[in-house]
Amino acid sequence: MREQDEQPRPPRTVPQRDAAPTRGLEPPLVRTPETDAMTSVAASRRAGTQVWTWPLVRSAIVHSFRKLDPRWMVRNPVMFVVEGGSVLVTFWAFRDLFQGKDVGFAFQIAVWLWFTVLFANFAEAMAEARGKAQADTLRATKKDTPARRLRNGSEEMVPSSQLRRGDIALVREGEIVPGDGEVIEGIAYVNEAAITGESAPVLKEPGTDIRSGVTGGTQVVSDWLKIRITADPGETFLDRMITLVEGAQRQKTPNEVALTILLAGLSIIFLLVVVSLQPFAIYAGEAVSTIVLVALLVCLLPTTIGALLSAIGIAGMDRVTRFNVLAMSGRAVETSGDVDVLLLDKTGTITYGNRLAAEIIPVGGATQEEAAHAALWASLGDDTPEGKSIVALARQAGAAPPPGGWDAVPAGAEAIPFSAETRMSGVRRNGSTWMKGAVDAITASLDGETPPDVQDQTDRISREGGTPLAVSENGRMVAVVYLKDTVKPGLHARFDELRRMGIRTIMITGDNPLTAATIAEDAGVDDFVAEAKPEDKIRIIRELQAEGHLVAMSGDGTNDAPALAQADVGLAMNSGTAAAKEAANMVDLDSNPTKIIEVVRIGKQLLITRGAITTFSIANDVAKYFAIIPAAFVATYPELGKLNIMHLATPQSAILSAVIFNALIIIALIPLALRGVAYRAAPAAELLARNLLVYGIGGVIVPFIGIKAIDLIVSSLGLA
Amino acid sequence: MTVSGWAQIAILFLLVLALVKPLGLYMAKVFSGERTWLWPVLRPVERVIYRVSGVDERREQSWLTYAVSLLAFSLVGLVFLYLLQRVQGSLPFNPEGMGAVKPDSAFNTAASFTTNTNWQGYAGESTMSYLTQMAGLAYHNFVSAASGIAVALALIRGIARRRADTVGNFWVDMVRANLYVLLPISIVLALVLVWQGVPQNLNHYVHATTLEGMAQTIAQGPVASQEIIKELGTNGGGFFNANSAHPYENPNAITNFIEMIAILAIPAALTYTFGRMVGNTRQGWTLFAAMSVIFLTGIAIAYGAEAQANPALRNLGIDQAVGNLEGKEIRFGVPLSALWAVITTVTSCGAVNSMHDSFNALGGLVPLANIQLGEVVFGGVGTGLTGMLFFALLAVFLAGLMVGRTPEYLGKKVQAYEVKMVALAILIFPATVLAFTAVAAVTDWGTETLNNAGPHGFSEMLYAFSSGSGNNGSAFAGLGANTGFYNSALGFAMLIGRFFIIIPTLAVAGSLARKQPVPPSLGTFPTTGALWVGLLVGAVLIVGLLTFFPALALGPIVEHLLANKGVTF
């Protein structure tokens, strides 16, 4: 169970920018039965459905029998051969029965061969069961809601299923958004719990890249919105999500296809080995029974990986979903394991994007108190995070509390709003004026000379990657405020981890090279591109790809769409534009750009699990030879008994034990297949050494012990 | 086992090791069209060859054109050799008046020499005219070796190139392999052999009267020229039936050493050529190391087994302190016979200086197992390297996922197409061996010419088809193979074992060449170092073991167990 503990928990934070309320709208706390239902659906998805519950297990058992249909089995060449073998042995057992022979052994082999097939089907069914359960709950939330369609200026009520792409709809407070769309008018809070699992409503308004998209099935909890529908029914986000989690259209990923080919190749080799063994046996003196040959074949076939291959893939997708990321295909998840360059936007991904005050520096002979006081008053009318951070810093610096409290313009004072013309804002009270703004703007507004030490301070701040703001009191410059872009905590460690995994991080920013360098160093990225325009992203990705790199990026804006499409793995924010979401191959429902790191991790874990079980499966064969070959030829060459190094009780018990081990190992490995092999960031050489030891060498040793143990039980029960 | 025995083995290995870099570097330069010290002499000759044959040396070929060129070239050679054997009676250079070779044997021999197998169902000195030996067999010894090198070059280029549509020019590779590599070395070493007493003439056989007054015919002919390319090209077809056990082919310890080194030189050096051409010589040395591990292990087992007394003679009061000498030349002794047996089977050479059939059961198991591992330990010229590279692709694919990336080798992603071709190439060999052996085991065609019964007889059949499909050519004798069944079955086995592996190899070369390599990082699967050597050796052994363990258990293994109880066949 150690693996379980090592799994990182899905992050639960709401991204800063969505949580930060603007324009004075406070998110109303809304709880209705509907929002509660939505929240619980999303929460259960994030937690991962409890797998080993009786209803899921029961449905998986039913499905394991349904999947015996050869038309289904043929998709999996290895298990198809096993099914063929089971039919053959069953037929032989019955034939012997009618001929009045002793058939205890034959029937036991037949039963265990059928179990082998059923266990494989069960593994796949269990993996699918989770997704199916989620799809069912999602489907329940997908109702035909009434929609107010606006046509030629008039409002008409239609069922949401009649809305088509391009229609305009109005959604009022308390109503369900009838389809995926883009806000074109109005500002409102929307509860998106159904998709994100977060009950705190988010603000929606027109004309932004990150706050204009709405999703069908979510609920407007304040005010109203006018939206343009962007998806036809059946193609909506919820529809896609249901299809994805259900895995109905699951296609084999490229690596799975390649592995299936190899497993088919191995199956053919083993088929030949076993078929040619009969003539060899006849030459040696006595034919081997068909039942023994089939048993040998099934033991040699890579049944373990053959049985668990699709379960591993499904479970990998499921893990991605639990991180609240929707992958449009398994291929995307697989590719994320291969990614070796991460392209990250500075703003919003590496930094919070809000420049916060870090230092208030007195200039022109002013004291620290005067500087703090002026900065405080200049910012009292500023509601932006910048302004608030200056207030907080001034308070720390010991400025006297303003009469109206720390977060309001006091009575009798007048706020001077920011204007593009003056590029300043401030407060006027009792004939005193405090202004703050860009250094050159304040300089231009001064009555007298600019203090001589200002230039040094602004130079230093720019050099260190910050933004200087000047503060004036009654036409005299008294302070420079150092605004710093803050790197999100914990990122440095994450980037170190990525470096150990062999993944390079590149930060993209529109800042000047100096600023960019400072932030890059703070965050610990490997490389940065400064003064980049949004269009540059696609160029950078193409250049990297031309060098053979596989690139992942996250983005949200419309102008990110081409880059998201070009990147090998593109993670779009759910809060982003429809174009971005369309172009990307994954969507993060939490709109947390750093989550791309988790996705890479899951991709790697998926591939490692697949490789580990493949290696284990093939390594197992060594022991099975030592069990079956001496047993099969005991009559012709008793001397081969020397190869029976496990000292298995009887030839029949040896063969039966090998077959039982072969079947039980599938069941034993289902939990590993579903939750994935433990992964920790380390260079490939280290991972290989460790996994080779555990699954390669372990794969050789385990069956020797397992078969011997089963043989002890089988022989003591007198089964063979 | 003796210290002197091991010293001889160690000296040989060190000499080969010393050759790897200079010869490998030389070949890398030759095949990249770079200047070498033979350039001033040979470059004009090369140009004339291209002008006369109308080859544009700058025009490269896609893998398909490359493959078609190779197949067409081989087919013409095959037909030519068949016809030559059929009409040799009316052609010159035939002092002993050899008549036409019978059709099934002629087909078998034509297939055998075209495929670099040199399985011989006939006895050279009583079947082939000097013209056939020189223009037919020796010719193929050169060109079949050169086409093996050409295939390896195409695969190396496929791995080394980025986004390329071509893998080289078959005709250019063929000309250069012969002109710059095989011919110069052969000429020099043939002269050395002549100096050591190997005949090189076109004379009649000598009819002598022995001391006992018996009449004896002493065969001779243009032996030295054919002897050296037989080893250098890992061909193995002897001028005489007794092959390198014959004193005219291999008169003394010096020639024995030269010949053993000649067998290993090119296959071993090609690992360095590979490393140099892909721009990372460590990659080449890693392959060499993996090969050496299996090689030295095989020698230890074979020498260990042959140093034991033959259990069948144990009770006859014969002094067997030096080991099992049955079927061995006393001038080579046990260690050099065991060493040669391993060398000739890890490569696809097949020349012999002792009777593998007379080895103790486990001693005989080693040559058989070597062939069944796919002759990837140094291997045939070119084919050994491509075989090992295929195992590398397989190992990378199976275990590579465990580092959390989809598999890649030297930056090239191994995807469904490559896996399909690798699986095919690795599947063809055991499939051919097992299917033909199965037919032989249960039919009179197969069993009626067996000289031994039981597991030993089985080993003889298994060895014949392993040797044929594996293009080795050595035999576990004891099996009368000059019959219609064996001549045709082995003929087909050889053709399948050669060309059905070459075609997928070239397909992989073409597909890899088109790919954009992924630059290496910490996350890249390491394909150098001890771990990878272990993994590669493991892949070779596991595939070999899984496919041939049941057959080996019913052959040499059970024979060994029975021999210890005093049962012989």
Side-chain angles (χ1 to χ4, degrees):
Chain A
M1 285 300 110
R2 209 164 54 83
E3 275 92 353
Q4 194 80 56
D5 300 330
E6 280 183 16
Q7 280 205 357
R9 277 173 226 293
R12 281 184 169 275
T13 48
V14 184
Q16 177 94 7
R17 55 187 166 171
D18 274 7
T22 53
R23 302 192 196 190
L25 273 171
E26 286 298 323
L29 283 174
V30 176
R31 274 190 68 179
T32 67
E34 269 170 325
T35 55
D36 281 356
M38 286 171 162
T39 313
S40 83
V41 168
S44 90
R45 190 179 63 245
R46 297 168 63 139
T49 323
Q50 192 58 44
V51 204
W52 300 101
T53 59
W54 175 239
L56 283 191
V57 172
R58 188 182 50 203
S59 125
I61 291 175
V62 172
H63 275 98
S64 344
F65 281 94
R66 273 198 207 141
K67 283 171 190 265
L68 287 177
D69 184 340
R71 285 167 300 180
W72 175 267
M73 293 298 297
V74 78
R75 284 162 46 103
N76 184 340
V78 177
M79 297 319 294
F80 185 67
V81 176
V82 179
E83 188 176 35
S86 315
V87 172
L88 194 63
V89 170
T90 312
F91 173 77
W92 234 254
F94 274 107
R95 201 199 59 162
D96 287 357
L97 180 69
F98 292 127
Q99 290 175 354
K101 292 184 192 161
D102 175 25
V103 291
F105 174 68
F107 272 106
Q108 286 188 72
I109 294 283
V111 165
W112 281 103
L113 292 186
W114 281 113
F115 272 143
T116 311
V117 185
L118 287 171
F119 288 168
N121 290 347
F122 179 73
E124 193 179 57
M126 273 313 284
E128 287 168 345
R130 286 180 173 187
K132 285 218 172 74
Q134 288 179 4
D136 289 345
T137 16
L138 277 178
R139 223 176 254 121
T141 56
K142 197 186 145 204
K143 288 175 294 206
D144 211 7
T145 50
R148 303 170 193 272
R149 184 165 66 187
L150 297 180
R151 238 179 213 176
N152 311 323
S154 64
E155 192 179 303
E156 50 176 343
M157 294 302 292
V158 294
S160 60
S161 57
Q162 282 185 17
L163 287 177
R164 291 291 177 273
R165 184 192 280 262
D167 284 351
I168 309 289
L170 180 72
V171 197
R172 291 185 190 280
E173 185 173 331
E175 290 176 353
I176 301 287
V177 177
D180 294 358
E182 221 169 305
V183 178
I184 51 173
E185 216 183 309
I187 298 180
Y189 272 99
V190 175
N191 184 334
E192 293 192 324
I195 47 174
T196 64
E198 269 309 326
S199 52
V202 290
L203 184 77
K204 298 289 176 186
E205 61 184 343
T208 75
D209 272 351
I210 57 165
R211 278 197 283 270
S212 300
V214 288
T215 312
T218 56
Q219 189 185 27
V220 173
V221 291
S222 77
D223 306 282
W224 56 271
L225 290 174
K226 201 183 268 184
I227 61 170
R228 182 189 293 114
I229 298 293
T230 52
D232 287 332
E235 297 165 9
T236 65
F237 186 75
L238 212 56
D239 291 316
R240 272 196 299 174
M241 187 149 153
I242 289 171
T243 325
L244 281 171
V245 296
E246 193 171 41
Q249 292 177 346
R250 199 181 101 83
Q251 286 186 325
K252 283 189 179 145
T253 61
N255 179 258
E256 261 183 291
V257 171
L259 195 52
T260 308
I261 291 174
L262 184 73
L263 296 180
L266 286 175
S267 305
I268 297 172
I269 293 186
F270 289 130
L271 201 57
L272 257 158
V273 168
V274 170
V275 168
S276 67
L277 197 54
Q278 189 66 301
F280 298 171
I282 292 170
Y283 168 88
E286 195 179 336
V288 181
S289 87
T290 308
I291 293 167
V292 171
L293 286 180
V294 173
L296 175 62
L297 173 63
V298 171
C299 285
L300 292 182
L301 288 174
T303 44
T304 318
I305 182 64
L308 297 175
L309 186 57
S310 62
I312 294 169
I314 297 167
M317 287 285 278
D318 188 58
R319 275 200 296 283
V320 174
T321 317
R322 270 165 59 190
F323 268 88
N324 245 5
V325 171
L326 278 197
M328 298 305 156
S329 66
R331 177 196 282 257
V333 180
E334 197 173 281
T335 314
S336 18
D338 280 353
V339 160
D340 62 348
V341 175
L342 270 188
L343 216 54
L344 301 165
D345 263 333
K346 188 200 79 176
T347 311
T349 308
I350 292 175
T351 65
Y352 284 114
N354 305 322
R355 292 162 173 270
L356 303 179
E359 218 180 317
I360 299 172
I361 308 147
V363 292
T367 63
Q368 182 68 50
E369 286 72 36
E370 284 170 343
H373 181 260
L376 169 68
W377 277 89
S379 308
L380 277 177
D382 184 357
D383 257 353
T384 64
E386 274 175 26
K388 287 183 169 172
S389 74
I390 297 177
V391 171
L393 189 65
R395 187 176 171 180
Q396 262 179 24
W406 292 103
D407 51 1
V409 183
E414 177 201 351
I416 306 165
F418 180 86
S419 80
E421 211 173 314
T422 61
R423 294 187 295 140
M424 293 187 293
S425 66
V427 170
R428 191 179 293 138
R429 182 175 183 250
N430 299 340
S432 290
T433 314
W434 297 272
M435 300 298 289
K436 72 169 175 29
V439 177
D440 55 339
I442 296 287
T443 305
S445 75
L446 293 182
D447 295 338
E449 286 292 299
T450 314
D453 47 351
V454 169
Q455 191 62 42
D456 284 353
Q457 294 298 343
T458 51
D459 280 357
R460 174 180 72 93
I461 293 167
S462 304
R463 207 168 44 241
E464 289 175 9
T467 309
L469 275 189
V471 178
S472 71
E473 187 176 40
N474 299 326
R476 187 171 74 97
M477 195 182 288
V478 290
V480 172
V481 177
Y482 185 161
L483 290 182
K484 215 176 190 174
D485 205 353
T486 326
V487 173
K488 292 183 181 174
L491 275 188
H492 208 293
R494 306 298 291 280
F495 293 149
D496 285 346
E497 187 183 320
L498 287 171
R499 203 167 301 117
R500 279 201 299 281
M501 291 155 71
I503 297 170
R504 200 152 63 97
T505 42
I506 301 180
M507 180 183 85
I508 302 234
T509 173
D511 292 344
N512 64 59
L514 222 59
T515 312
T518 313
I519 302 268
E521 206 190 317
D522 267 11
V525 293
D526 295 308
D527 213 343
F528 65 89
V529 180
E531 287 170 350
K533 293 183 285 295
E535 315 83 84
D536 288 341
K537 278 187 198 163
I538 187 162
R539 182 183 50 78
I540 295 165
I541 293 175
R542 284 205 177 121
E543 281 170 11
L544 286 166
Q545 286 173 334
E547 289 166 20
H549 293 287
L550 277 102
V551 186
M553 70 163 282
S554 43
D556 46 21
T558 305
N559 51 29
D560 279 342
L564 282 171
Q566 178 72 35
D568 299 284
V569 174
L571 178 68
M573 301 299 103
N574 189 46
S575 57
T577 58
K581 282 193 263 183
E582 201 105 315
N585 37 25
M586 289 188 205
V587 177
D588 179 20
L589 301 177
D590 293 335
S591 304
N592 174 2
T594 42
K595 219 187 264 177
I596 188 96
I597 300 174
E598 303 304 334
V599 174
V600 168
R601 217 188 148 89
I602 295 173
K604 286 200 176 290
Q605 196 189 23
L606 166 74
L607 293 172
I608 292 177
T609 308
R610 203 181 278 159
I613 295 183
T614 306
T615 308
F616 184 84
S617 185
I618 291 171
N620 270 204
D621 281 1
V622 177
K624 294 172 191 165
Y625 264 138
F626 281 97
I628 297 186
I629 291 291
F633 291 98
V634 68
T636 328
Y637 295 129
E639 293 74 17
L640 280 177
K642 280 236 163 119
L643 294 180
N644 180 9
I645 53 177
M646 287 175 267
H647 300 289
L648 304 175
T650 65
Q652 294 199 326
S653 164
I655 294 166
L656 186 60
S657 303
V659 171
I660 294 177
F661 174 84
N662 195 53
L664 290 183
I665 196 74
I666 296 175
I667 285 288
L669 290 178
I670 288 178
L672 182 70
L674 293 190
R675 72 163 185 259
V677 166
Y679 176 75
R680 62 197 171 83
E686 217 177 301
L687 285 177
L688 181 66
R690 181 179 176 274
N691 290 329
L692 213 50
L693 185 72
V694 175
Y695 299 100
I697 309 289
V700 174
I701 297 170
V702 165
F704 277 104
I705 301 169
I707 293 175
K708 177 70 187 173
I710 295 171
D711 173 72
L712 288 176
I713 298 171
V714 165
S715 53
S716 68
L717 293 179
L719 293 174
Chain B
M1 291 192 275
T2 60
V3 174
S4 107
W6 274 109
Q8 296 175 61
I9 291 166
I11 291 168
L12 175 107
F13 183 74
L14 291 175
L15 284 174
V16 171
L17 182 64
L19 272 177
V20 168
K21 185 172 174 185
L23 183 56
L25 184 62
Y26 173 76
M27 286 194 287
K29 287 186 171 175
V30 164
F31 295 119
S32 311
E34 291 173 41
R35 261 174 178 280
T36 51
W37 59 281
L38 279 174
W39 176 283
V41 186
L42 295 177
R43 179 64 186 161
V45 182
E46 189 188 353
R47 273 181 219 253
V48 169
I49 294 173
Y50 295 145
R51 200 166 313 134
V52 171
S53 57
V55 170
D56 179 357
E57 61 175 314
R58 278 155 308 182
R59 196 145 118 215
E60 294 227 332
Q61 298 169 319
S62 70
W63 79 264
L64 197 60
T65 321
Y66 199 98
V68 170
S69 306
L70 186 148
L71 291 178
F73 181 76
S74 303
L75 180 67
V76 170
L78 178 89
V79 173
F80 168 77
L81 178 55
Y82 177 82
L83 293 177
L84 185 63
Q85 292 175 78
R86 300 287 294 140
V87 301
Q88 65 173 3
S90 32
L91 293 175
F93 299 112
N94 190 6
E96 295 302 317
M98 303 292 179
V101 181
K102 65 185 170 91
D104 60 324
S105 174
F107 161 71
N108 181 282
T109 306
S112 171
F113 279 75
T114 308
T115 57
N116 197 255
T117 310
N118 296 30
W119 169 272
Q120 294 167 295
Y122 63 91
E125 59 270 47
S126 57
T127 315
M128 299 297 175
S129 75
Y130 290 168
L131 183 71
T132 311
Q133 293 271 22
M134 294 189 296
L137 306 184
Y139 160 81
H140 274 288
N141 282 352
F142 278 97
V143 297
S144 68
S147 50
I149 295 177
V151 173
L153 289 171
L155 184 59
I156 295 173
R157 291 189 189 112
I159 294 171
R161 290 181 174 181
R162 53 170 58 199
R163 292 172 175 273
D165 293 323
T166 58
V167 294
N169 182 318
F170 172 73
W171 309 111
V172 172
D173 288 338
M174 170 59 70
V175 168
R176 287 186 180 155
N178 279 308
L179 193 62
Y180 289 89
V181 182
L182 298 173
L183 273 169
I185 302 176
S186 295
I187 290 171
V188 173
L189 290 183
L191 290 173
V192 175
L193 291 183
V194 171
W195 166 49
Q196 287 297 319
V198 177
Q200 178 72 12
N201 59 45
L202 298 171
N203 298 342
H204 279 281
Y205 293 173
V206 172
H207 298 279
T209 308
T210 63
L211 287 176
E212 294 105 11
M214 306 284 287
Q216 186 185 6
T217 305
I218 301 175
Q220 52 181 349
V223 182
S225 57
Q226 193 168 335
E227 181 64 21
I228 190 61
I229 187 62
K230 168 188 111 179
E231 272 93 24
L232 191 64
T234 62
N235 294 287
F239 192 94
F240 304 112
N241 193 30
N243 211 300
S244 292
H246 193 292
Y248 277 179
E249 287 203 17
N250 189 7
N252 56 41
I254 295 176
T255 56
N256 196 52
F257 248 83
I258 292 174
E259 291 178 13
M260 286 194 292
I261 290 171
I263 295 174
L264 291 174
I266 293 179
L270 275 173
T271 58
Y272 189 88
T273 310
F274 162 76
R276 172 116 199 295
M277 288 178 78
V278 299
N280 182 352
T281 47
R282 281 193 66 194
Q283 296 286 350
W285 283 116
T286 308
L287 292 189
F288 181 84
M291 291 172 170
S292 302
V293 169
I294 305 180
F295 178 60
L296 296 173
T297 312
I299 290 173
I301 299 174
Y303 181 30
E306 290 313 293
Q308 302 297 314
N310 184 338
L313 305 177
R314 210 174 277 156
N315 301 325
L316 299 179
I318 296 169
D319 176 22
Q320 295 197 75
V322 292
N324 173 20
L325 272 177
E326 187 202 314
K328 295 189 179 64
E329 291 292 307
I330 203 75
R331 65 184 189 279
F332 305 133
V334 168
L336 291 188
S337 299
L339 178 59
W340 182 295
V342 172
I343 290 177
T344 200
T345 49
V346 290
T347 63
S348 75
C349 185
V352 290
N353 75 351
S354 57
M355 291 297 284
H356 296 178
D357 198 30
S358 301
F359 276 31
N360 284 331
L362 288 187
L365 168 73
V366 172
L368 182 54
N370 277 336
I371 297 174
Q372 291 176 340
L373 293 181
E375 293 164 345
V376 293
V377 176
F378 309 116
V381 279
T383 53
L385 180 70
T386 53
M388 196 48 132
L389 287 173
F390 266 43
F391 275 106
L393 293 178
L394 184 73
V396 151
F397 188 79
L398 283 178
L401 285 170
M402 285 195 292
V403 305
R405 293 242 290 242
T406 58
E408 66 201 37
Y409 184 59
L410 290 170
K412 296 295 180 86
K413 286 279 173 210
V414 182
Q415 289 158 318
Y417 184 79
E418 288 78 32
V419 169
K420 203 184 293 176
M421 292 300 150
V422 169
L424 190 65
I426 291 181
L427 175 78
I428 287 290
F429 171 65
T432 317
V433 175
L434 293 174
F436 277 116
T437 311
V439 172
V442 288
T443 56
D444 287 342
W445 303 327
T447 50
E448 69 190 357
T449 51
L450 278 181
N451 289 340
N452 304 80
H456 195 79
F458 179 72
S459 297
E460 289 171 354
M461 291 185 289
L462 183 64
Y463 195 105
F465 286 106
S466 300
S467 173
S469 310
N471 294 157
N472 184 279
S474 67
F476 221 44
L479 168 71
N482 199 358
T483 67
F485 169 74
Y486 277 112
N487 274 333
S488 28
L490 283 166
F492 284 112
M494 291 185 279
L495 291 171
I496 295 169
R498 174 84 168 178
F499 296 108
F500 280 71
I501 291 177
I502 282 182
I503 295 169
T505 307
L506 290 174
V508 168
S511 158
L512 289 179
R514 278 192 293 274
K515 292 182 194 230
Q516 163 77 45
V518 181
S521 72
L522 266 185
T524 307
F525 185 90
T527 51
T528 54
L531 189 63
W532 169 243
V533 169
L535 187 57
L536 194 51
V537 170
V540 173
L541 293 182
I542 284 255
V543 170
L545 182 73
L546 292 186
T547 42
F548 289 111
F549 182 77
L552 290 175
L554 295 179
I557 294 177
V558 76
E559 188 190 346
H560 168 74
L561 296 170
L562 288 167
N564 286 341
K565 292 190 168 180
V567 186
T568 53
F569 300 91

